[in-house]
Amino acid sequence: MNDIAFNRLLVVLRHGPHGSSWLREGLEVALVGAALGQDVSLLFYGEGVTALLKEQQVGPLAQKGTQPMLEMLPMYDIESLWVDAEALATYDLTLDELVVPAKEVGRHEVSDLFQRHRLVLNF
Amino acid sequence: MRYALLVQGSPYSNQASHSALRFSHGLIARGHQLATVFFYHDGVYNAARLALPPQDEPHLVDEWRELHVRQSTELLVCIASGLRRGIVDEQEASRHGKTGHSLEAPFELTGLGQLIDAGLTHDRLVTFAP
């Protein structure tokens, strides 16, 4: 945990890519923050870890998918990505199955992660 | 302290807006300032100009307006969330060829940058979500 910089904005994503607009609207905040020059970190927490699964499709609801937004993160210099280790285990996932590189964080370390950010927004 | 609120719940569907308003009244009563409220996600419906709740229920849209009168609280509505959900001001309505508008002053349509800005320039940002 000590290698993270004192990033200013942490966006916590707690919803999967389908079923609601929470993930999309959370990612939009992250991209806007980065476009405004903030250092942005993302924490994929609980169900939010499923946002990172590869090969997602748009689906029959014809809403824009969130995977293209995730692929844009490096272009916005959003490289501090954290995933909830417990949720990864719950969904039986490993880091190499994720669409972008991310680091695991234990639930007991989450409060520490929050404290290292000036602004935390929860979606 | 200068407070900002982020409201993400639709009025009358869940408790988020009620709680946000009660919190607003509480912090003002203790001598703090409610400088900004940002409405995002389903929270944009808090700005619906045509909301007509039964007379024996709190009128949440009017309560937000009242905060603006009392404290000059800025009532900011995310334009992307709003337009998708039919929350548009007169200017956007005419730009898109619509005959009516659903949002008016003191509420204002604005971008997400204002949310980030509120989070960084106020002493506290408190989120009210469903």
Side-chain angles (χ1 to χ4, degrees), chain B residues 25-119:
Chain B
H25 297 146
L27 70 89
I28 292 166
R30 286 179 175 237
H32 300 294
Q33 188 201 353
L34 178 62
T36 305
V37 183
F38 192 93
F39 300 95
Y40 192 44
H41 193 74
D42 285 347
V44 298
Y45 291 120
N46 282 278
R49 185 173 74 95
L50 301 173
L52 291 167
Q55 284 187 356
D56 56 355
E57 281 184 39
H59 196 309
L60 301 180
V61 180
D62 282 353
E63 285 193 38
W64 291 120
R65 280 199 196 104
E66 223 167 274
L67 285 173
H68 174 80
V69 173
R70 279 176 70 187
Q71 291 235 313
S72 304
T73 304
E74 289 199 307
L75 303 173
L76 308 177
V77 179
C78 171
I79 188 165
S81 291
L83 261 56
R84 274 197 187 99
R85 292 168 172 88
I87 301 296
V88 291
D89 62 11
E90 211 163 0
Q91 192 186 338
E92 287 298 321
S94 77
R95 207 159 70 84
H96 292 273
K98 301 284 184 187
T99 48
H101 63 283
S102 46
L103 177 146
E104 65 188 2
F107 292 93
E108 46 185 306
L109 290 175
T110 183
L112 273 177
Q114 295 282 97
L115 168 62
I116 312 281
D117 193 58

Side-chain angles (χ1 to χ4, degrees), chain A residues 85-116:
Chain A
E86 199 171 301
L88 275 187
T90 303
Y91 289 97
D92 200 17
L93 298 171
T94 55
L95 286 177
D96 51 0
E97 288 174 279
L98 307 181
V99 68
V100 283
K103 283 181 263 185
E104 285 186 86
V105 58
R107 291 207 169 160
H108 60 286
E109 296 170 303
V110 167
S111 58
D112 196 35
L113 189 60
F114 278 23
Q115 277 176 11
R116 285 164 187 271

Side-chain angles (χ1 to χ4, degrees), chain A residues 44 48-54 56 70 81 83 97-100 102:
Chain A
F44 296 86
V49 300
T50 61
L52 292 167
L53 279 172
K54 285 177 185 164
Q56 288 176 36
L70 292 173
L81 305 186
V83 278
E97 288 174 279
L98 307 181
V99 68
V100 283

